[in-house]
Amino acid sequence: ALEQVSGESYQWFFDQWIYKIGLAKFEIVKNYDATIQRLTIQVKQIQNSENTTEYEQVAYFEGKISVEIGDKIETVILKPQQENTFIFEKISEPEFVNFNYQQTFLCESNFTKSKEEYLAQLKKSKDVLAKQVAFNELVKLANDSSAPLEFKVQVKQALTDEINSTYYWRYRMLALGALSRVTSLPYDAAMIQLLKSLIENEKYWLKSTAIGILGKTSDSSFTDIYINALNDESDRVINSAAVALGKTKSSKAFTELMKLESKSSWKNQNRISALNGLQFLADERAVPYTLKCIEDN
């Protein structure tokens, strides 16, 4: 129908995505010439470098790809050849380049960037997937033994800004997980305050994640926070709170965890949470209860 209306052949599209196999894999190199204000992006297709299948693969992929260059979105046409070079004239040096904006072209990409470019991408990209790539790379760089302390502080602050933003909760939850991977125990006052604020003001997955990270401290001074969370409407939050409470070894923990047994929940989620908390508490008084749960089929 498309071919009849447009008068053009789309055989290449169906060969590429339906009838032949393979996944595009790109090696991307960016170069900026300040003297003539020219940005060059070279894209090399390397997907068939190790072809071990008997089935026909796509030799070279083609199609439209969007590129985020600073605050602008450009569209380039990828030709079915090993190397494509895209040139942008009369342009200021961009803080970052995000090839394949919003990952709408199915592919894998190798695109090495500096830590400054990743920081700019995290802070300024309009593409939440590119921001996620940026913070994952920044965590790797920050955790390198040679990384300067100043850079680690920059990464932590950038991640904190993302967590406190108005972005979708799932992205903020992933940013919080990234922050925890670059933050070691004992947490400083800023990290503790951030986690407390999230527990107080957020819900469901994000609240649960914050409780789980705070629970790594095993600090009994947070016992009441976890006990309050045992009354949450979310089974996920209750489970995180139970585990965190168990880790505190608080004298209040056994009684509070046992109370979960009397609270109704979907598919015995509260019982599961109680058992998870009791596992970390390691109180011998839990043995009869645990045996009783084992006997209940």
Side-chain angles (χ1 to χ4, degrees), residues 138-180:
L138 286 167
V139 166
K140 293 178 186 177
L141 293 169
N143 283 334
D144 190 287
S145 58
S146 63
L149 178 60
E150 181 183 359
F151 174 64
K152 291 183 178 181
V153 172
Q154 283 182 298
V155 172
K156 289 180 181 180
Q157 185 57 57
L159 286 168
T160 300
D161 291 342
E162 297 301 301
I163 294 163
N164 287 327
S165 71
T166 57
Y167 278 99
Y168 182 54
W169 66 265
R170 188 179 292 274
Y171 167 74
R172 294 168 60 216
M173 180 187 72
L174 294 172
L176 178 57
L179 179 61
S180 73

Side-chain angles (χ1 to χ4, degrees), residues 21-283:
I21 72 168
L23 174 66
K25 188 171 184 179
F26 304 142
E27 279 188 351
I28 304 165
V29 177
K30 171 186 72 72
N31 181 62
Y32 182 75
D33 189 332
T35 59
I36 56 176
Q37 292 187 305
R38 173 185 289 173
L39 173 68
T40 303
I41 301 175
Q42 295 178 313
V43 181
K44 184 177 181 180
Q45 299 197 40
I46 59 172
Q47 59 270 3
N48 289 331
S49 58
E50 297 181 1
N51 187 352
T52 58
T53 177
E54 62 183 289
Y55 300 103
E56 186 177 6
Q57 288 189 306
V58 178
Y60 298 112
F61 286 78
E62 60 182 298
K64 292 181 180 180
I65 297 182
S66 296
V67 186
E68 185 180 23
I69 304 174
D71 59 353
K72 295 182 179 179
I73 309 297
E74 303 285 353
T75 300
V76 299
I77 305 299
L78 187 75
K79 296 180 180 179
Q81 57 196 36
Q82 186 175 33
E83 293 189 23
N84 281 258
T85 301
F86 306 109
I87 298 174
F88 303 89
E89 304 280 6
K90 303 299 180 183
I91 184 174
S92 300
E93 184 172 10
E95 292 184 273
F96 68 95
V97 172
N98 171 25
F99 190 80
N100 194 18
Y101 180 70
Q102 295 185 341
Q103 297 185 18
T104 54
F105 194 99
L106 189 63
C107 68
E108 294 178 356
S109 297
N110 295 331
F111 190 178
T112 303
K113 303 176 186 179
S114 68
K115 60 179 183 289
E116 291 78 15
E117 288 176 302
Y118 280 126
L119 275 169
Q121 184 169 307
L122 175 60
K123 294 176 181 179
K124 299 184 179 182
S125 177
K126 299 180 180 67
D127 178 359
V128 70
L129 298 175
K131 291 166 79 71
Q132 189 175 326
V133 168
F135 69 56
N136 283 329
E137 291 300 323
L138 286 167
V139 166
K140 293 178 186 177
L141 293 169
N143 283 334
D144 190 287
S145 58
S146 63
L149 178 60
E150 181 183 359
F151 174 64
K152 291 183 178 181
V153 172
Q154 283 182 298
V155 172
K156 289 180 181 180
Q157 185 57 57
L159 286 168
T160 300
D161 291 342
E162 297 301 301
I163 294 163
N164 287 327
S165 71
T166 57
Y167 278 99
Y168 182 54
W169 66 265
R170 188 179 292 274
Y171 167 74
R172 294 168 60 216
M173 180 187 72
L174 294 172
L176 178 57
L179 179 61
S180 73
R181 296 198 303 274
V182 79
T183 305
S184 56
L185 292 168
Y187 298 148
D188 60 22
M191 183 66 168
I192 296 294
Q193 182 55 43
L194 173 65
L195 294 172
K196 284 184 174 180
S197 176
L198 292 171
I199 293 169
E200 181 179 352
N201 298 308
E202 298 295 337
K203 296 181 179 181
Y204 315 129
W205 290 57
L206 189 51
K207 181 175 181 178
S208 171
T209 301
I211 291 173
I213 295 171
L214 187 63
K216 291 179 180 180
T217 64
S218 300
D219 190 334
S220 61
S221 66
F222 305 130
T223 294
D224 289 342
I225 293 177
Y226 306 140
I227 291 175
N228 289 334
L230 292 178
N231 296 311
D232 199 86
E233 62 183 335
S234 166
D235 289 332
R236 184 175 296 274
V237 169
I238 292 171
N239 187 72
S240 290
V243 170
L245 181 59
K247 289 179 178 179
T248 66
K249 307 294 185 180
S250 167
S251 58
K252 300 178 182 179
F254 179 76
T255 300
E256 295 298 330
L257 289 171
M258 292 302 295
K259 287 180 182 179
L260 289 174
E261 174 65 25
S262 61
K263 295 182 180 180
S264 61
S265 60
W266 182 68
K267 292 189 174 180
N268 281 325
Q269 289 298 306
N270 280 343
R271 174 178 289 182
I272 294 170
S273 296
L275 290 167
N276 287 336
L278 290 168
Q279 176 186 359
F280 286 95
L281 183 61
D283 188 319

